[in-house]
Amino acid sequence: MCEDAHGIGRRALFVTGTAAALTLGSVSFAAADGQDHGTGTTATIRGTLPTGSPDYVYVPVEVPAGVREIKVAYTYDKPSVPAGTQGNALDIGIFDERGTEPGGRGFRGWSGGARSEFFLRADDATPGYVPGPVREGTWHVALGPYTVAPQGLSYELTVTLTYGEPGGTPTPAYPPERARGRGRAWYRGDCHLHSWYSDGRRTPAEIAALARAAGLDFINSSDHNTHAAHPHWAPEAGEDLLILLGEEITTRNGHVVALGTDPGTFVDWRYRARDNRFGRFARQIRRAGGLVVPAHPHATCIGCGWKFGFGEADAIEVWNGPYTPDDEVALAEWDNLLVASVREGREGRDGREGQDGRDGRGWIPAMGNSDAHRDPDAVGLPQTVVLAEDLTREAIQSGIRAGRSYVAESKNVSLTFTASGERGRHAGIGERLEVSADSPVTVRVEASGAPRCTIRLVTDQGVLFTSAPLPVTGSGTAEWHTTPAYAAYVRAELRHETAAGPVPGALAAFTNPIFLGR
C-alpha cells in the first residue's frame, strides 16, 4: 500500500469553462509487469477541502497497462454544525483516460452521494457506472463537494487496481421504441423515475411492475447524471409498457430531465447558470431525439431550484410527486408564462411554433411526474396523460411537445376538456379554437375519479369559474360560456376540498390550455 496526502496547499486550480475545477497531484501505481493475475495494489489519498471549494475536485490516477479492474472507496467526516448551517456532503464519480473535459467524453460513472464505493471492469460495474476496459492512462476520480461545513471537509480515498486479462464487454441491448398501442388514444406515463443506478432503491424490474400497477403505458428512465441504466431496461419493456431512456441532469443550479433520448446518450451536468453553457447541452438533448424538461423548478432542496430560465424548455415539470406548496408556486409561474406567450403573440395558431428548434418557440406545455426513488414513493403520482397517435417514442414526445396532455394524480382520475364555437368548430387540450373575438364559446369539462373535488377554469384573467364539489361518485360535468375577447386561453383544474381559508386545495388534475380566437 502507498499513501499520499493532498492538502489545500497542493493544488492546481483550473477554470474549465464550466464550473471551476480543482485538480490535485496524481497518484501512480507500479506497472503490471511481474504482477500475478488477480493480485491488486492499493493507494490511499487523504485531504481536506475548505468552504468555498470548487464544485468538482479531480484526483488523477495513473493507471498502467494490464489492469483488469479499478475499485474506489471513500469516506469523509461529518462534524456537528450550528443550526441552519450546512454540514458536509461529498459526491463521487470517475472519468477514464479520455479526460474530464466538458461534454463527458471520458465519463465512466457517477453515484453522487448514494454509494461509498464502486468498481469498473470490462464485463461489469457498480450500478451507475459503465462497464468497459480499464485502459492505460490518466484516470480521474471526481469529487463533488456538494456542501462543506465551516470546519472543512476531510476525506479519504482508497483506490485499488487489480491486474489481469480484461475480459469482454457485453453488447448493450435497449428497449424497443414502440409498444402495442391503441392507435390515436390517451396514454398515461411517468417520465421522472430513479432506480438503483443512481440514488433510487428500486431495480428496473421493480419500477416496471409498479408502473404497470399504476396503469401506466410509458415511463422514462431518468437517473441522476448517468446513462448507465439504459441497457438494463430492455428486459422490462413489453407490448403493454413503452420504456423511454433519459437522464436527470443534476446541476448545482437546478435539475432537468432529458426525456426520450437515443440509447446510450450521456449529458454532462458540470456547469452553473452563470457559465452560460446550458444551451449547448439542451441542444445536445434535442439532437439525441429527446425533450428538455426542467424538473421541480421551485423545489426547496439544495441546488434543486431552476436558475437557467425556460428559454430552452420543451415542457416544464410543474407537478412533482405528492402535491406540495412548491408545486403550487411552479403552477403559478407556468401560468404566468402562458399569459406572457399570449401578450407577446407567441402561442402559435395551433398552440405551438418552432418545435424543431429555439427560433419561434411558442408556449411551453406543463407535465407532472412522480420523481419516485424508493418506498413509499408512489410511481405514477402524478402521471401525464398524453393524446398520441400511437404508443411510440416519437408519438408520445410529439404529444408532450404539443401540449396535448393533462396531469392526474392517479389512474382513477380522467378528464375530457373541450371548447366549441361557431360553425361547429371545436378544440381540445393543447389546441386553438379559431373563432372571432366576440364569438360565443362553450367550454366543457367532464371529470371522473375525483370525489368531492371542484372544477376550476383558469384563464389569462385568472380563475373565472369554480364548480360546486363533485358528488362522492367522483363524476360530473361543468360548462362555462365566454368569448376570446374575454379569455385568450382557458385551462381546467380539479382541486381537492380546501384545507384552510382561501388557500386552494391540492390538485387532483390539471390540463394544458385551449387557446381561443384567431
Side-chain angles (χ1 to χ4, degrees):
M1 174 184 287
C2 64
E3 292 195 5
D4 195 7
H6 290 113
I8 196 63
R10 295 186 60 203
R11 69 188 188 194
L13 180 62
F14 300 97
V15 178
T16 64
T18 57
L22 183 114
T23 301
L24 304 176
S26 62
V27 179
S28 298
F29 288 83
D33 296 342
Q35 300 283 348
D36 294 333
H37 283 195
T39 61
T41 182
T42 297
T44 300
I45 306 101
R46 299 181 179 91
T48 299
L49 300 173
T51 55
S53 290
D55 288 345
Y56 303 102
V57 176
Y58 298 103
V59 180
V61 178
E62 301 298 333
V63 176
V67 172
R68 177 175 181 268
E69 178 183 287
I70 182 168
K71 180 179 179 180
V72 178
Y74 81 122
T75 62
Y76 60 93
D77 66 333
K78 297 179 180 178
S80 298
V81 295
T85 301
Q86 297 298 328
N88 285 335
L90 184 64
D91 294 343
I92 195 166
I94 196 166
F95 290 77
D96 66 18
E97 82 288 348
R98 292 171 293 179
T100 63
E101 289 77 13
R105 211 171 141 261
F107 176 79
R108 290 296 293 274
W110 182 258
S111 48
R115 300 181 186 277
S116 60
E117 62 181 41
F118 62 86
F119 75 90
L120 299 91
R121 60 176 185 260
D123 64 338
D124 200 5
T126 299
Y129 293 79
V130 181
V134 181
R135 291 178 288 261
E136 179 182 7
T138 304
W139 289 52
H140 291 83
V141 177
L143 301 177
Y146 200 66
T147 55
V148 178
Q151 302 95 315
L153 188 157
S154 296
Y155 64 88
E156 179 179 293
L157 280 176
T158 303
V159 181
T160 301
L161 303 185
T162 301
Y163 300 96
E165 294 298 325
T169 301
T171 301
Y174 300 108
E177 297 188 5
R178 174 182 295 273
R180 178 180 290 175
R182 304 180 297 277
R184 182 177 173 85
W186 292 93
Y187 295 99
R188 294 176 178 264
D190 188 346
C191 294
H192 188 167
L193 295 161
H194 296 279
S195 75
W196 69 353
Y197 287 88
S198 61
D199 63 341
R201 292 294 179 267
R202 292 167 174 157
T203 65
E206 291 169 331
I207 293 170
L210 291 169
R212 289 179 166 99
L216 301 184
D217 301 294
F218 66 93
I219 58 175
N220 180 70
S221 166
S222 57
D223 281 306
H224 293 284
N225 296 344
T226 181
H227 61 299
H230 286 191
H232 301 278
W233 283 102
E236 314 314 326
E239 292 185 345
D240 63 332
L241 184 64
L242 174 69
I243 298 180
L244 307 178
L245 302 176
E247 177 187 339
E248 184 175 12
I249 299 99
T250 306
T251 80
R252 300 296 180 88
N253 284 164
H255 303 181
V256 58
V257 171
L259 195 165
T261 53
D262 294 336
T265 298
F266 166 72
V267 184
D268 209 333
W269 73 94
R270 295 170 295 159
Y271 43 87
R272 289 180 181 255
R274 64 183 177 225
D275 298 320
N276 198 29
R277 290 296 183 103
F278 175 63
R280 164 187 170 181
F281 296 102
R283 290 188 291 273
Q284 179 195 350
I285 293 169
R286 282 193 284 271
R287 284 195 304 271
L291 302 183
V292 178
V293 184
H296 46 65
H298 290 279
T300 57
C301 46
I302 297 171
C304 294
W306 185 248
K307 304 295 185 185
F308 295 91
F310 298 107
E312 294 285 354
D314 293 300
I316 302 171
E317 185 188 77
V318 168
W319 183 355
N320 174 278
Y323 200 74
T324 56
D326 59 278
D327 297 308
E328 188 71 32
V329 174
L331 182 70
E333 180 180 38
W334 171 66
D335 193 74
N336 287 339
L337 292 174
L338 293 179
V339 174
S341 72
V342 169
R343 182 179 64 246
E344 298 164 12
R346 293 186 287 104
E347 77 277 15
R349 293 183 63 81
D350 62 352
R352 293 287 279 160
E353 292 179 353
Q355 294 178 8
D356 296 326
R358 286 299 310 124
D359 293 340
R361 178 59 57 90
W363 67 281
I364 306 172
M367 65 182 308
N369 302 298
S370 72
D371 199 1
H373 284 69
R374 60 187 67 83
D375 293 340
D377 298 352
V379 172
L381 171 58
Q383 49 195 250
T384 300
V385 190
V386 183
L387 179 61
E389 298 301 320
D390 208 344
L391 188 52
T392 68
R393 170 189 172 191
E394 182 180 1
I396 292 296
Q397 290 176 316
S398 178
I400 293 171
R401 187 189 296 114
R404 297 191 300 268
S405 61
Y406 67 91
V407 181
E409 65 181 0
S410 75
K411 64 182 179 182
N412 299 323
V413 179
S414 294
L415 275 176
T416 301
F417 180 46
T418 58
S420 58
E422 59 189 5
R423 299 180 182 176
R425 291 187 174 94
H426 65 275
I429 299 170
E431 297 177 339
R432 171 174 290 278
L433 181 66
E434 295 205 24
V435 294
S436 60
D438 295 324
S439 175
V441 172
T442 299
V443 176
R444 181 178 175 85
V445 182
E446 300 177 17
S448 62
R452 303 300 301 166
C453 287
T454 58
I455 298 171
R456 301 206 314 173
L457 297 178
V458 185
T459 78
D460 56 315
Q461 304 302 317
V463 179
L464 295 184
F465 173 86
T466 302
S467 75
L470 296 175
V472 293
T473 61
S475 298
T477 62
E479 282 194 359
W480 179 63
H481 302 280
T482 187
T483 65
Y486 189 50
Y489 68 82
V490 58
R491 60 181 184 83
E493 295 180 352
L494 282 179
R495 293 272 184 171
H496 288 286
E497 292 182 284
T498 302
V503 179
L507 281 176
F510 77 95
T511 72
N512 275 299
I514 300 173
F515 292 93
L516 306 179
R518 295 193 173 101

